[in-house]
Amino acid sequence: TFLQQADVPLTPTKFLMISLGIAALGVIAIPLCRAPIYFAPLGASLGIIPFLFVYFKRKSRLAKFAKQFPEALELISRALRAGHSLASGFSLVADEMGKPIATEFRRCYEAQNLGQTLELAIEEMTERVPNLDLRFFATAVVLQRQTGGDLAEILEKIGYIVRERFKIFGQIQALTGEGRLS
């Protein structure tokens, strides 16, 4: 799931082989550079570079997803108010928004089209994207489907809460910036 969350199209086996290959090249490069052999572990430590690449790509992708999420909730809410189904709202997000949120909602929409229940498809999306706001969304959808209610209004409120939390977090970052810098 770590590779899926970073949207890296490699199997875990290929990724591990790439990392081991880079580590082996690092070990081989030490004697070729006429460096003492006790630097071999330093050369082997180059094998961590692919892990760092995937880690930072994953972190960037999840942050971008979080920033796009309130807009996606509003888009789904407007689609529901216009009389569309929740699944067609997912399709709308997949078509109208950019990556990475479009990719995740497209996967969810296609899984539902292939016969999976919408609840299960949303649950799989929450496993691929570890985002607390997405978890709230998934819970709201499941509860609304079981008990009924105005899902469009619920999604608008979740989107509002997410936006306000981002605003407060930005204010905290601005107020504590000088302290963190020193």
Side-chain angles (χ1 to χ4, degrees):
T1 61
F2 189 70
L3 294 173
Q4 277 184 336
Q5 290 172 353
D7 201 27
V8 175
L10 292 174
T11 63
T13 307
K14 283 183 181 179
F15 180 73
L16 189 61
M17 295 304 291
I18 289 170
S19 298
L20 291 174
I22 290 174
L25 286 174
V27 170
I28 291 170
I30 296 298
L32 292 176
C33 294
R34 301 198 189 280
I37 195 69
Y38 53 82
F39 284 123
L42 183 64
S45 69
L46 293 177
I48 200 167
I49 290 173
F51 289 100
L52 292 174
F53 170 76
V54 170
Y55 172 78
F56 286 114
K57 187 171 181 184
R58 174 186 177 268
K59 185 177 176 182
S60 169
R61 184 173 186 267
L62 293 178
K64 191 171 182 183
F65 182 94
K67 286 190 184 226
Q68 292 176 319
F69 193 60
E71 188 179 335
L73 289 177
E74 289 178 3
L75 189 59
I76 293 170
S77 176
R78 287 194 304 267
L80 290 172
R81 290 201 189 280
H84 295 281
S85 68
L86 182 61
S88 65
F90 280 25
S91 175
L92 190 62
V93 169
D95 293 339
E96 298 296 324
M97 295 191 70
K99 289 183 179 182
I101 204 158
T103 306
E104 292 301 329
F105 275 85
R106 181 169 287 112
R107 284 180 187 166
C108 189
Y109 176 72
E110 289 174 357
Q112 187 261 338
N113 272 349
L114 293 173
Q116 203 173 42
T117 65
L118 188 60
E119 289 85 359
L120 185 58
I122 294 171
E123 181 66 29
E124 286 179 356
M125 183 168 55
T126 62
E127 290 171 8
R128 284 191 308 267
V129 182
N131 183 306
L132 188 60
D133 300 323
L134 182 63
R135 177 55 78 188
F136 288 143
F137 167 73
T139 303
V141 168
V142 170
L143 285 174
Q144 187 274 339
R145 285 198 172 263
Q146 291 173 355
T147 61
D150 188 7
L151 184 59
E153 183 180 341
I154 293 169
L155 296 182
E156 283 178 1
K157 287 182 180 180
I158 293 173
Y160 174 76
I161 290 169
V162 172
R163 283 187 195 279
E164 288 298 310
R165 197 178 67 227
F166 274 129
K167 191 184 300 181
I168 291 170
F169 182 72
Q171 290 172 346
I172 291 171
Q173 293 293 95
L175 293 172
T176 61
E178 183 179 347
R180 285 183 285 120
L181 253 167
S182 65

